[in-house]
């Protein structure tokens, strides 16, 4: 097994639980409040490490209590955090999260120290990429930093996984440096300039062709409770291999961080030598397991947990 590199964000999750989301201008009574470690990249790193991968994280936090909490959580999960920079005078990034009684969430992010992560940080940590099998990226840090990391991953021979979240148009250089694109249905629609692809009755061959025209031949579209669709056009010819993976049946408690559990699971299995299809099937179960507990990192399972849920 080769290792996984994750480059990007670390946030303290300030989570409020309520029966329902407030309407604009409305106040509702909450049922609980917790502060927990989060951030898409930190979540992905912790998820992959708990599933057995060798993981190195590149990021930035403030020299504050939230930063210490995030580093402790990642380190205690087995993540190498030696390339996470602590910055004086800048607060650690935060995410304000509201979770309703059905486990659905809404999130507002303030970048804090994540906004200070630069291509120079990636360059200074260049040895981290040596021998990497997978590099996980998202857009919670600057696109310049993401592009630098993607190029470093490509140069090391790793599979570069771009989670297009939060959505933003991306330059051609980043498209070219991406091996696997990971989007939800809404992000897919934004990228392709069309309605979000539907779980049922969709012409996925046409969707795959549209992604290929946009420069992406290997794409995973997550559909929440409707599962995930894998579009793998990396082989010869123009036809993409298409597989719809059904969601694992669970009683959801909190979906916060489930998408990151999917990405971490995908990277862990790719690093272990699985095919994209095999890795996506496993990652789908890892994401479902994460939704059975509160919070992001606190809900992530081990490989034994994921296998038990898959084989129940």
């Amino acid at each position: 097994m080769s290792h996984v590199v994750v480059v990007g964000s670390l946030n303290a999750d300030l989570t409020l639980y309520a029966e329902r989301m407030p309407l604009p201008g409305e106040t509702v009574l909450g049922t609980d409040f917790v502060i927990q470690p989060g951030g898409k990249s930190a979540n992905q790193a912790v998820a992959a490490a708990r599933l057995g991968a060798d993981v190195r994280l590149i990021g930035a936090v403030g020299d504050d209590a939230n930063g210490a909490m995030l580093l402790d959580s990642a380190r205690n999960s087995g993540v190498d955090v030696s390339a996470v920079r602590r910055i004086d005078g800048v607060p650690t990034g935060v995410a304000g999260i509201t979770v309703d009684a059905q486990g659905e969430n809404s999130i507002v992010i303030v970048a804090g120290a994540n906004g200070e992560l630069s291509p120079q940080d990636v360059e200074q940590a260049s040895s981290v990429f040596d021998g990497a099998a997978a590099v996980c990226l998202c857009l919670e840090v600057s696109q310049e930093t993401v592009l630098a990391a993607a190029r470093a991953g490509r140069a090391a021979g790793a599979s570069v996984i771009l989670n297009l979240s939060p959505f933003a148009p991306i330059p051609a250089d980043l498209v070219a440096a991406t091996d696997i694109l990971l989007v939800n249905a809404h992000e897919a629609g934004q990228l392709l300039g069309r309605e979000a692809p539907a779980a049922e009755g969709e012409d996925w061959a046409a969707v795959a062709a549209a992604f290929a025209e946009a420069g992406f031949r290997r794409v995973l579209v997550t559909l929440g409770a409707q599962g995930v669709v894998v579009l793998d056009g990396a082989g010869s010819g123009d036809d993409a291999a298409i597989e719809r993976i059904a969601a694992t049946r669970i009683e959801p408690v909190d979906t916060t961080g489930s998408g990151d559990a999917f990405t971490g699971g995908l990277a862990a299995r790719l690093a272990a030598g699985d095919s994209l299809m095999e890795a996506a099937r496993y990652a789908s179960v890892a994401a479902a397991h994460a939704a059975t507990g509160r919070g992001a990192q606190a809900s992530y399972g081990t490989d034994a947990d994921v296998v038990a849920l898959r084989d129940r």
Side-chain angles (χ1 to χ4, degrees), residues 42-238:
N43 290 347
Q44 292 166 13
V46 167
R50 289 189 182 170
L51 293 169
D54 176 3
V55 184
R56 295 94 189 269
L57 177 61
I58 300 173
V61 296
D63 190 13
D64 53 22
N66 285 336
M69 172 187 68
L70 284 157
L71 291 175
D72 285 345
S73 177
R75 192 182 293 115
N76 291 340
S77 297
V79 177
D80 182 337
V81 296
S82 58
V84 177
R85 182 162 61 102
R86 298 197 74 168
I87 306 173
D88 290 333
V90 178
T92 297
V94 296
I97 305 171
T98 303
V99 180
D100 69 16
Q102 286 70 49
E104 295 295 333
N105 63 67
S106 63
I107 304 174
V108 177
I109 295 171
V110 178
N114 296 313
E116 303 295 317
L117 190 68
S118 69
Q120 288 70 38
D121 291 305
V122 174
E123 183 178 354
Q124 289 174 7
S126 59
S127 62
V128 170
F129 293 90
D130 294 342
V135 174
C136 295
L137 306 171
C138 70
L139 299 184
E140 287 188 343
V141 296
S142 74
Q143 287 198 16
E144 293 80 8
T145 302
V146 174
L147 178 57
R151 286 172 168 166
R154 267 296 181 88
S159 292
V160 176
I161 304 167
L162 175 62
N163 182 195
L164 195 59
S165 178
F167 177 82
I170 56 176
D173 287 352
L174 184 53
V175 174
T178 298
D179 295 298
I180 300 167
L181 179 69
L182 178 56
V183 289
N184 62 28
H186 181 64
E187 292 155 356
Q190 289 178 290
L191 177 64
L192 299 178
R194 49 155 287 172
E195 290 186 3
E200 302 294 340
E202 185 64 67
D203 183 352
W204 286 103
V207 174
F211 274 118
E213 186 175 351
F216 301 102
R217 295 190 61 80
R218 310 187 84 190
V219 182
L220 286 79
V221 183
T222 58
L223 303 169
Q226 302 302 314
V228 59
V229 174
V230 182
L231 309 173
D232 189 356
S236 60
D238 296 329

Side-chain angles (χ1 to χ4, degrees), residues 285-312:
V285 183
H289 181 276
T292 63
R294 279 189 166 192
Q297 295 176 25
S299 68
Y300 294 163
T302 64
D303 176 68
D305 294 326
V306 173
V307 170
L309 179 58
R310 182 195 65 192
D311 296 342
R312 66 180 178 178

Side-chain angles (χ1 to χ4, degrees), residues 10-14 35-39 66 69-70 92-96:
L10 299 90
N11 289 326
D13 286 351
L14 283 58
I35 300 176
Q36 296 176 305
N66 285 336
M69 172 187 68
L70 284 157
T92 297
V94 296

